[in-house]
């Protein structure tokens, strides 16, 4: 026997579904191996070709071979088989093959459901507002396909179907909201998510070599967003403090001994504190970015002696925190261990470095003068600020200072720090971010990986630790505004100087910029209100609602209970609605039938009143006359033209008094 | 009225023994102004039933024996050139009759079949550019052999649909058969039958059928039946609205025959198989007519509410 779900499906639907699947898999191109995507696209191509030429559709045997090939493809490309990415790769490959195996409506249902699942996997890689919109649109369209597939005949109204699917999904919105607000949050990252976040992060590390920041700068990924309580500080003051590096071997700078784990010195500050909240993208490290210098620091973190702020755990989830900073400060005295570490020198200081420093020392009155002379040296000599410095040799500082004179911020910062140490001034390298773009639409500052920066701090008697940015001496524009990314990348020449964006933008470019800002503002709110709804915020909300007694498993029980009550309420409403339409005459007749049923003679539900009466007469001749009266009366009321209240009441009474 | 109808049935029951249900259905069909299709094996009394109805209801009738070499002109009539009057003169065929017995209709070719079936639908025939009305009332009783017999052209579905009812007679039960075998020749008995009603009475009874009341509750039941036939996977296609109308019309006539002024679910059930049996097809089309089983399935599946 033919069943409706075994019926062949419409060609339009198949084409739509194929295109939808391609759209579903499309964002995975960024994450999956090329071979997997290739296998999937080949399956899709074969599907499309076989629509034009049905002979091309592979048979069972060939499909089996293809499935084995697909599996092998995944195994070869993903050495760690039990990982999320391998699972997604396998699913992508197999859904492509399933496309070749769609013969009936049932197959199509299956593919649509796999499509839903694949859509959900997108969130493992990207949870931006744009991706959410994309997934929502695809979900509605997939639901539309599901709808069309269950129709007897296709409606051929794609817009209408889309609307119906939307209406269907909108009905799930209240449940979604309730689950979003009340469903217990997991405090740690989901194990699955964790893997992806870690593998995908870029950011500052706890050591730098020459070239490490210029690599970082190539990424336009957002590092963090900041909302200021008051107007944001001027661009030259936007120094975001990250790892502080003390120790060098002449090539690499590292954090050194855990001396800096001491408590911070007492700050002498001037002026008001700047308050702000930061939404930090996951870094996989513990540093919390704060404006130079931090005053009050976020929860669950501590500030070290060199004013680095570290969180208790590495940051694997997007983190939102509030902090405040002081722009004008004095760190006061230096401790002897700090001084010792601030003067540590590698063993590859060349004579010409020493003589350079000696020259400054002989003319300078104090340490401040030495710093100024060194900055002047960078400014006046032929130093170039470039993203593509020449390849470094064994002694990068020497090579940079006297030969190439081309470098990025880390070249300047590390060389300057080293020069200061040679001159006997305690100095250290600070890495972090500098600047950031202000989004006028979202009223927040966007700091990208391309804003990564390195600078120096020197200790001067009377001023404490002072920030000195040698890059600013060479390229003051770097500090004033971000550089034009495209031109920076466009210059392939080694050592080509960076040009900065001060070109007047055209109308179109301006509009694009506006669009860009708008998108960023949406993403920021998305991160803030949706993704940022963490366990902490949930518990705050719960206590605001007076529901803080519902914690953990109690919450789960409460939700199950709530759902049960809701379903029961819905069920009774529907049941009542179904019953309301019952004709009162029929209801009375059913009571009559039930009375007889209890005494042993049930009416079959396909039995008409007269047929039933005949059986009653044979079964219990003594109640014949009464049953006959009731039945005749019922026939008159229900099937005849008589319909007056009195007759109905009489009938009701007869049934009431009927005692079989 | 009921007495009159009962008398017809009693008289008919004397000729065709033990088939009261079939007789009632056949008369119901006449009262509902529909055409009747009798389908069964040769020799179970199809032709006798047709003759009997014509006699009892006092209609002027003609019989057409369908054969495979029959032409439409054999049914409708033909214009022949009259040498004396120097013009064509139309000689009406056997169809110009109040009751037409179309015997073994599926022995004829589709061309001849359609000539009859078109006349049935339009109640008029057109030849040589001239339209001629058929008499009133006009009633066709067609008989056909089961389609699996050799030398038959099964009627297409659209033409089967023009018959308001299809009945199958079946073998008589033992007692009835005994009486049949022991009794007189049926043909002789038919000769001696006198009509119970005349034409005017028949027309007035037919008009009364329209006055039988149909309640909302009954329409609910009727629609539930139609709906079930359209959604249940066992049916290749559902019943058409025309089938629904036919069902109600037959149920009204049946109710009148039962002496009621309103239709009950029992009336629907009584005529259901005969009304929809030839309009239903199973999804597993095996070539064997399963219409009656399907109608029975329909009856068993839809509860009366």
């Amino acid at each position: 026997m033919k069943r409706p779900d075994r019926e062949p499906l419409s060609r339009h639907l198949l084409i739509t579904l194929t295109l939808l699947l391609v759209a579903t898999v499309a964002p995975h191109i960024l994450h999956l191996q090329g071979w997997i995507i290739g296998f999937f696209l080949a399956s899709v191509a074969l599907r499309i070709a076989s629509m034009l030429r049905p002979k091309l559709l592979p048979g069972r045997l060939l499909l089996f071979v293809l499935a084995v090939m697909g599996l092998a493809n995944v195994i070869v490309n993903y050495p760690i088989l039990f990982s999320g990415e391998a699972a997604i790769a396998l699913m992508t490959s197999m859904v492509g093959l399933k496309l070749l195996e769609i013969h009936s409506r049932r197959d199509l249902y299956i593919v649509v459901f796999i499509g839903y699942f694949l859509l959900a996997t997108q969130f493992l890689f990207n949870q931006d507002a744009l991706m959410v919109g994309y997934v929502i649109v695809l979900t509605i369209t997939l639901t539309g396909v599901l709808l069309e597939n269950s129709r007897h005949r296709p409606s051929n109204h794609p817009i209408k179907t889309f609307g119906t699917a939307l209406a269907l999904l909108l009905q799930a919105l209240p449940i979604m909201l309730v689950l979003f607000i009340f469903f217990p949050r997991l405090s740690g990252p989901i194990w699955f998510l964790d893997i992806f976040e870690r593998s995908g992060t870029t950011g500052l590390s706890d050591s730098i070599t020459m070239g490490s920041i210029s690599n970082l700068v190539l990424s336009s990924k957002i590092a963090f967003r900041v909302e200021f309580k008051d107007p944001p500080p001027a661009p030259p003051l936007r120094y975001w403090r990250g790892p502080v590096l003390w120790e060098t071997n002449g090539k690499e700078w590292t954090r050194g001994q855990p001396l800096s784990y001491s408590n911070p010195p007492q700050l002498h500050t001037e002026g008001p504190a700047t308050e702000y909240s930061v939404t930090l993208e996951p870094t996989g490290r513990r540093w919390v970015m704060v404006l130079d210098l931090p005053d009050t620091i976020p929860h669950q973190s501590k500030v070290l002696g060199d004013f680095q702020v570290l969180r208790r755990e590495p940051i694997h989830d997007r983190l939102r925190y509030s902090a405040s900073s002081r722009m004008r400060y004095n760190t006061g005295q230096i401790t002897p261990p700090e001084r010792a570490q601030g003067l540590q020198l590698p063993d590859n200081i060349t004579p010409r470095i020493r003589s350079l420093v000696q020259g400054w020392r002989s003319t300078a009155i104090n340490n401040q003068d030495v710093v100024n002379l060194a900055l002047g040296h960078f400014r006046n000599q032929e130093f170039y600020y470039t993203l593509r410095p020449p390849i470094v040799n064994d002694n990068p500082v020497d090579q940079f200072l006297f030969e190439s004179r081309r470098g990025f911020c880390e070249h300047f910062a590390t060389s300057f720090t080293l020069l200061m140490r040679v001159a006997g001034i305690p100095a250290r390298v600070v890495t972090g971010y500098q600047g950031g773009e202000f989004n006028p639409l979202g009223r927040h500052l966007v700091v990208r990986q391309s804003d990564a920066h390195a600078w120096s701090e020197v200790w001067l008697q009377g001023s404490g630790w002072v920030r000195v940015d040698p890059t600013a001496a060479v390229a003051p524009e770097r500090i004033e505004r971000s550089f034009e990314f495209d031109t920076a990348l466009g210059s392939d020449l080694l050592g080509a100087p960076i040009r900065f964006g001060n070109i007047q933008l055209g109308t179109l470019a301006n509009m694009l910029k506006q669009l860009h800002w708008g998108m960023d503002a949406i993403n920021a709110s998305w991160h803030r209100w949706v993704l940022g709804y963490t366990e902490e915020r949930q518990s705050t909300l719960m206590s605001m609602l007076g529901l803080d007694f519902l914690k953990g498993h109690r919450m789960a029980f409460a939700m199950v209970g709530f759902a049960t009550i809701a379903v029961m309420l819905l069920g009774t409403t529907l049941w009542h609605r179904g019953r309301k339409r019952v004709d009162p005459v029929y209801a009375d007749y059913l009571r009559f039938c039930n009375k007889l049923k209890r005494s042993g003679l049930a009416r079959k539900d396909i039995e008409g009143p007269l047929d039933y009466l005949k059986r009653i007469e044979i079964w219990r001749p003594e109640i014949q006359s009464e049953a006959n009266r009731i039945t005749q009366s019922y026939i008159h009321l229900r099937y005849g033209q008589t319909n007056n209240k009195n007759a109905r009441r009489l009938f009701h009474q007869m049934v009431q008094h009927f005692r079989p | 009225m009921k007495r009159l109808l009962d008398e017809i049935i009693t008289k008919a029951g004397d000729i065709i023994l033990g088939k009261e249900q079939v007789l009632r259905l056949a008369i119901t069909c006449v009262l509902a102004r529909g055409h009747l299709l009798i389908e069964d094996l040769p020799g179970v009394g199809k032709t006798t039933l047709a003759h009997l109805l014509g006699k009892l209801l006092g209609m002027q009738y003609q019989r057409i024996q369908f054969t495979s070499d029959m032409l439409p002109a054999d049914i409708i009539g033909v214009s022949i050139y009259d040498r004396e009057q120097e013009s064509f003169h139309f000689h009406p065929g056997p169809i110009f009759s109040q009751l037409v017995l179309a015997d073994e209709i599926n022995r004829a070719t589709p061309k001849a079949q359609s000539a009859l079936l078109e006349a049935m639908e339009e109640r008029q025939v057109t030849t040589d550019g001239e339209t001629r009305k058929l008499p009133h009332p006009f009633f066709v009783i067609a008989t056909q052999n089961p389609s699996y017999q050799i030398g038959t052209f099964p009627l297409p579905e659209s033409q089967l649909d023009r018959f308001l009812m299809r009945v199958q007679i079946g073998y008589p039960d033992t007692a009835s058969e005994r009486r049949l075998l022991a009794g007189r020749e049926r043909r002789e008995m038919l000769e001696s039958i006198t009509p119970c009603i005349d034409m005017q009475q028949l027309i007035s009874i037919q008009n009364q059928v329209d006055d039988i009341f149909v309640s909302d509750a009954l329409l609910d039941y009727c629609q539930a039946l139609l709906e079930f036939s359209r959604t249940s996977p066992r049916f290749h296609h559902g019943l058409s609205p025309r089938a629904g109308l036919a069902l109600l019309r037959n149920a009204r006539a049946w109710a009148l025959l039962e002496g009621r002024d309103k239709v009950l679910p029992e009336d629907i059930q009584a005529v259901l198989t005969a009304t929809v049996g030839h309009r239903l097809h199973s999804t597993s089309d095996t070539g064997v007519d399963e219409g009656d089983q399907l109608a029975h399935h329909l009856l068993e599946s839809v509860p009366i509410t």
Side-chain angles (χ1 to χ4, degrees), chain A residues 173-250:
Chain A
L173 199 65
I175 298 174
M176 192 195 85
L177 283 178
V178 167
L179 286 179
F180 174 75
I181 294 171
F182 295 110
F183 197 82
R185 304 267 137 178
L186 301 168
S187 48
I190 304 169
W191 65 271
F192 201 46
L193 215 58
D194 192 28
I195 293 166
F196 295 110
E197 292 287 11
R198 248 184 254 201
S199 62
T201 47
T202 51
L204 293 170
S205 68
D206 52 2
S207 69
I208 56 170
T209 53
M210 289 198 176
S212 60
I213 290 187
S214 41
N215 276 334
L216 193 60
V217 164
L218 294 175
S219 161
S220 66
K221 272 178 111 175
I222 288 174
F224 53 95
R225 293 186 176 87
V226 197
E227 291 144 54
F228 287 96
K229 207 173 173 195
D230 304 309
L237 286 174
R238 293 176 194 160
Y239 279 87
W240 300 93
R241 195 177 183 89
V244 178
L245 311 175
W246 288 87
E247 200 164 294
T248 178
N249 60 4

Side-chain angles (χ1 to χ4, degrees), chain B residues 55-71:
Chain B
K55 280 263 185 184
L56 282 173
L57 301 176
M59 288 196 273
Q60 168 251 326
Y61 71 91
Q62 297 223 34
R63 176 164 178 269
I64 313 173
Q65 175 63 49
F66 278 60
T67 54
S68 55
D69 55 357
M70 189 172 231
L71 292 172

Side-chain angles (χ1 to χ4, degrees), chain A residues 41-71:
Chain A
L41 288 180
S43 306
V44 169
L46 191 54
R47 170 79 259 180
I48 292 168
S50 60
M51 275 177 204
L52 306 172
R53 231 172 244 266
K55 271 190 181 172
L56 284 174
L57 205 62
R60 262 163 198 271
L61 188 69
L62 186 55
L63 264 180
F64 180 74
V65 173
L66 284 175
V68 172
M69 278 167 62
L71 189 65

Side-chain angles (χ1 to χ4, degrees), chain A residues 139-159:
Chain A
T139 306
I140 299 170
T141 323
L142 270 177
T143 310
V145 170
L146 210 56
L147 255 168
E148 278 295 279
N149 194 36
S150 5
R151 281 207 170 114
H152 255 310
R153 282 167 198 83
S155 73
N156 291 328
H157 274 289
I159 308 270

Side-chain angles (χ1 to χ4, degrees), chain A residues 298-567:
Chain A
H299 296 295
Q300 299 193 6
S301 40
K302 70 179 269 192
V303 60
L304 305 183
D306 49 9
F307 296 98
Q308 312 182 53
V309 182
L310 288 176
R311 197 169 163 79
R312 220 163 41 198
E313 303 287 334
I315 300 158
H316 291 308
D317 282 326
R318 195 171 279 108
L319 179 68
R320 196 174 155 76
Y321 55 85
S322 303
S324 75
S325 296
R326 299 286 183 163
M327 297 288 154
R328 296 165 73 183
Y329 51 82
N330 186 338
T331 60
Q333 286 304 314
I334 191 169
T335 60
E338 244 183 359
R339 175 185 287 276
Q341 204 159 17
L343 290 171
Q344 178 260 336
L345 282 173
D347 46 18
N348 59 352
I349 306 293
T350 54
R352 47 181 175 175
I353 295 180
R354 288 194 188 281
S355 65
L356 180 67
V357 175
Q358 276 305 313
W360 298 335
R361 260 275 166 244
S362 56
T363 52
I365 311 159
N366 55 18
N367 285 350
Q368 179 71 51
D369 272 352
V370 176
V371 170
N372 288 339
L373 281 170
L375 284 177
H377 175 77
F378 281 121
R379 196 180 300 122
N380 300 328
Q381 302 292 318
E382 291 260 306
F383 280 94
Y384 289 106
Y385 183 54
T386 176
L387 256 182
R388 295 180 189 279
I391 295 164
V392 292
N393 61 15
D394 279 349
N395 198 338
V397 177
D398 183 80
Q399 184 198 8
F400 169 69
L401 282 175
F402 299 106
E403 283 156 31
S404 67
R405 298 190 172 191
R406 279 166 164 73
F408 199 60
C409 56
E410 71 263 33
H411 296 78
F412 290 99
T414 53
S415 307
F416 180 82
T417 308
L418 199 72
L419 287 171
M420 289 304 105
R421 286 186 177 184
V422 172
I425 304 168
R428 59 196 185 195
V429 173
V430 184
T431 58
Y433 297 86
Q434 204 286 321
E437 276 182 299
F438 189 70
N439 182 341
L441 290 174
R443 309 210 52 73
H444 60 255
L445 196 71
V446 181
V447 181
R448 296 172 186 279
Q449 297 297 350
S450 56
D451 293 318
H453 193 50
W455 60 92
S456 293
E457 270 181 344
V458 292
W459 187 83
L460 299 172
Q461 184 68 44
S463 313
W465 286 100
V466 175
R467 181 173 65 226
V468 179
D469 190 349
T471 313
V474 179
E477 308 89 41
R478 165 69 184 87
I479 310 305
E480 304 285 332
R481 60 178 92 87
S482 321
F483 50 81
E484 281 288 283
F485 210 59
D486 300 340
T487 49
L489 286 181
S491 52
D492 274 336
L493 273 162
L494 278 184
I498 292 169
R499 276 173 297 172
F500 290 89
N502 52 359
I503 310 145
Q504 283 296 312
L505 293 172
T507 321
L508 185 69
N510 233 331
M511 272 166 63
L512 281 175
K513 189 103 186 149
Q514 287 290 320
L515 194 72
H516 180 76
W517 284 134
M519 203 52 231
D520 183 67
I522 291 170
N523 256 330
S525 320
W526 174 253
H527 287 157
R528 183 170 176 186
W529 296 111
V530 180
L531 298 182
Y533 186 72
T534 52
E535 191 194 11
E536 223 176 294
R537 282 201 177 190
Q538 188 179 35
S539 65
T540 316
L541 181 75
M542 293 298 261
S543 55
M544 265 166 66
L545 294 174
L547 292 170
D548 39 359
F549 59 92
L550 287 174
K551 283 258 163 70
H553 64 275
R554 277 199 214 160
M555 185 72 211
F557 281 131
M559 290 189 82
V560 169
F562 182 76
T564 313
I565 292 169
V567 166

Side-chain angles (χ1 to χ4, degrees), chain A residues 605-606 608-611 638, chain B residues 213 215 260 265-266 269 304-305:
Chain A
D605 60 357
I606 61 152
L610 280 183
D611 288 343
R638 191 110 199 281
Chain B
F213 181 73
S215 67
R260 276 196 285 272
E266 282 91 337
Q269 290 177 343
I304 299 169
T305 52

Side-chain angles (χ1 to χ4, degrees), chain B residues 218-292:
Chain B
L218 192 97
L219 288 178
D220 284 346
Y221 178 53
C222 188
Q223 281 194 298
L225 286 167
L226 297 179
E227 184 59 31
F228 183 82
S229 77
R230 289 166 194 171
T231 50
S232 164
R234 254 188 87 170
F235 299 92
H236 186 268
H237 51 75
L239 290 169
S240 63
R242 193 200 289 181
L245 287 169
L247 189 59
L248 274 183
R249 173 166 272 266
N250 281 333
R252 277 190 163 109
W254 183 273
L256 183 75
L257 207 61
E258 293 284 322
R260 276 196 285 272
D261 59 351
K262 54 190 158 297
V263 182
L264 295 188
E266 282 91 337
D267 300 326
I268 296 267
Q269 290 177 343
V271 299
L272 184 73
T273 307
T275 312
V276 303
H278 58 299
R279 302 175 210 254
L280 287 177
H281 294 276
S282 153
T283 36
S284 60
D285 211 345
T286 51
V288 179
D289 183 11
E290 293 179 47
D292 285 9

